[in-house]
Amino acid sequence: MIKISKSCLGDLEKKAVLDVLNREFLGMGQDVLNFEKLLSAFFGRPTVCVVNGTSALHLSLLACRIGPGDEVLVPSLTYIASFQAISACGAKPVACDVNPETLTIDWKDAFTRLTPNTKAIMPMHYAGGVGHLQEVYTFARKNNLRVVEDAAHAFGTLYHGERVGSFGDIACFSFDGIKNITSGEGGCIVSNDMDVINFAKDARLLGVHKDSEKRYNGDRSWDFDVFAQGWRYHMSNIMAAIGIQQLLRFEDLAKIRQSHAKLYDKIFNGDNRIKYLPNNYCDVVPHIYVVRIPGLRNRLELQEKLLERGIQTGFHYQLNHKLSLYKSDNCSPLINCESLAHEIITLPLHPDMSEIDVTFVADNLKKLI
Ligand SMILES: *Cc1c(COP(=O)(O)O)cnc(C)c1O
């Protein structure tokens, strides 16, 4: 079976976890500090580690003082985590359409959904590409919006020569088991805004004021004050130990993802039944590989037939504005989302695949459609 995605771990990760277990300090400590230092160097900006990507989004929005009555613009074609992070603040996720080529948020559609309550926009870097991110920032600046990038798919991606996370307002990454790097579960917030960074450092530890610095040294605050609502959103040393090893070999992991995506593109190039994303995989580090098959009527049948040949596929994503919790009657149609949502299919992509696997998947897709 060629899996759609999987965690890819080596001896270094296993040894690092064993080291943490042997030291018998499993909570948030020195390893988390070390992971944050490495990430800060990677991005060139302050970085706070948290328990997953969803909590990174949640805390970032809260740090921007987004709450009940506020609205956040977000593409409908995203993981449910983006929407849940917004509603967890008591704010309203406002579903926006996507650009039909890049599958990232269409800021012109977002513009039509602005209200006096709109406080932020959450672009999601679909599959690893950022779409027209510069235009999103221009739109946000003109309309006085915070930008919280859901960069869960885009760890390592370069945009105009700069790493996602190294520029802009706030970027949130996920290190869950199948992302470009993993720490088991995990995530981080990257920003130059020290109010956001300091807010997240306290809020991830139940709001205990300035507890992070003590925890890094294996200590904790016994005599403390709390000024705001917090959560148990910190990262553990076990997770950080995995994350550090993954980050140290990220260049190799990224290269395999990029070369597999290039190979898929090459095989599909010239086949007008199959459309692929307009990504340059010298810059984009792809988390998933998605194709669109215009006019596809029976996606489930295609998925089943691929599975019979030992190929696992998926659909990224269900449209969030169709879900019971988020659907609203006065939402004007999301034309691109609705016409393409049933025509996209995600093919296997992970660093443990070989070129033979990629070719096998691509050839079988071509045969079956
Ligand atoms: C993975 C993911 C998240 C959330 O990350 P977790 O670490 O799983 O909480 C958010 N948004 C998108 C688009 C993702 O793919």
Side-chain angles (χ1 to χ4, degrees):
M1 173 69 68
I2 303 176
K3 288 183 149 188
I4 182 172
S5 57
K6 70 184 281 289
S7 305
C8 300
L9 301 166
D11 290 340
L12 291 171
E13 286 88 344
K14 289 167 195 171
K15 184 181 171 299
V17 169
L18 203 56
D19 285 348
V20 176
L21 296 181
N22 286 333
R23 277 186 272 129
E24 298 189 325
F25 185 91
L26 308 186
M28 184 173 122
Q30 189 71 45
D31 300 272
V32 176
L33 176 63
N34 289 343
F35 191 26
E36 286 179 342
K37 281 185 179 162
L38 287 171
L39 287 166
S40 296
F42 183 79
F43 293 115
R45 283 189 158 190
T47 304
V48 181
C49 283
V50 287
V51 72
N52 53 42
T54 310
S55 61
L57 294 168
H58 184 201
L59 293 186
S60 296
L61 293 165
L62 291 169
C64 297
R65 306 285 178 253
I66 285 161
D70 296 335
E71 297 177 3
V72 179
L73 302 163
V74 59
S76 184
L77 191 73
T78 184
Y79 187 40
I80 178 67
S82 321
F83 273 64
Q84 285 275 4
I86 296 165
S87 54
C89 302
K92 181 183 167 196
V94 175
C96 298
D97 209 354
V98 295
N99 175 299
E101 303 299 320
T102 63
L103 307 191
T104 55
I105 194 163
D106 175 356
W107 69 267
K108 287 178 191 151
D109 179 82
F111 176 76
T112 67
R113 299 175 198 276
L114 278 172
T115 77
N117 298 325
T118 314
K119 294 286 155 58
I121 183 166
M122 184 185 284
M124 194 281 269
H125 304 327
Y126 190 92
V130 300
H132 303 97
L133 187 56
Q134 196 160 17
E135 293 173 27
V136 169
Y137 267 100
T138 305
F139 161 73
R141 202 173 309 116
K142 276 188 190 149
N143 294 286
N144 205 18
L145 306 178
R146 295 298 299 253
V147 181
V148 178
E149 296 176 42
D150 182 341
H153 289 194
F155 188 89
T157 285
L158 299 177
Y159 181 57
H160 296 159
E162 290 182 281
R163 230 171 227 147
V164 171
S166 72
F167 57 86
D169 192 358
I170 305 172
C172 297
F173 294 88
S174 162
F175 306 134
D176 79 24
I178 57 169
K179 293 284 164 50
N180 288 358
I181 66 166
T182 184
S183 56
E185 298 288 341
C188 72
I189 300 166
V190 189
S191 182
N192 253 354
D193 182 341
M194 288 316 289
D195 289 340
V196 169
I197 293 295
N198 291 327
F199 176 95
K201 277 189 169 175
D202 284 356
R204 70 176 165 178
L205 282 164
L206 294 172
V208 175
H209 193 50
K210 296 197 166 159
D211 204 17
S212 283
E213 310 305 323
K214 292 229 173 69
R215 300 259 174 178
Y216 292 148
N217 296 316
D219 199 0
R220 64 193 267 195
S221 308
W222 295 103
D223 181 19
F224 58 81
D225 202 358
V226 171
F227 299 98
Q229 175 67 52
W231 283 265
R232 285 291 272 181
Y233 276 176
H234 61 282
M235 179 179 270
S236 79
N237 274 350
I238 302 178
M239 300 157 85
I242 301 170
I244 287 168
Q245 296 307 320
Q246 289 261 301
L247 182 56
L248 291 177
R249 64 196 192 93
F250 173 66
E251 226 175 282
D252 295 335
L253 296 170
K255 270 193 197 129
I256 304 175
R257 286 184 178 275
Q258 290 173 318
S259 89
H260 286 351
K262 282 181 198 165
L263 182 54
Y264 272 132
D265 278 4
K266 194 173 142 203
I267 298 172
F268 296 140
N269 184 24
D271 188 330
N272 57 18
R273 301 166 305 170
I274 301 170
K275 291 182 69 176
Y276 49 85
L277 295 168
N279 290 330
N280 172 356
Y281 294 110
C282 295
D283 294 336
V284 170
V285 183
H287 162 54
I288 50 177
Y289 188 88
V290 177
V291 292
R292 180 178 182 187
I293 301 165
L296 181 65
R297 289 284 169 75
N298 202 337
R299 190 169 57 162
L300 280 171
E301 191 185 344
L302 177 60
Q303 184 179 47
E304 221 167 85
K305 290 276 193 286
L306 284 163
L307 197 58
E308 281 168 16
R309 286 159 171 74
I311 299 163
Q312 195 182 46
T313 56
F315 310 137
H316 291 89
Y317 291 93
Q318 278 201 84
L319 297 176
N320 282 277
H321 75 285
K322 301 282 189 186
L323 300 172
S324 297
L325 180 61
Y326 297 117
K327 66 179 170 222
S328 85
D329 298 332
N330 55 11
C331 168
S332 64
L334 279 63
I335 293 164
N336 296 330
C337 277
E338 275 151 42
S339 71
L340 64 81
H342 294 281
E343 297 181 343
I344 54 178
I345 184 161
T346 306
L347 306 179
L349 180 71
H350 57 74
D352 283 348
M353 284 175 77
S354 66
E355 282 182 17
I356 292 169
D357 294 333
V358 174
T359 309
F360 178 78
V361 172
D363 287 346
N364 271 287
L365 179 73
K366 289 178 82 163
K367 262 183 235 155
L368 282 170
I369 55 172

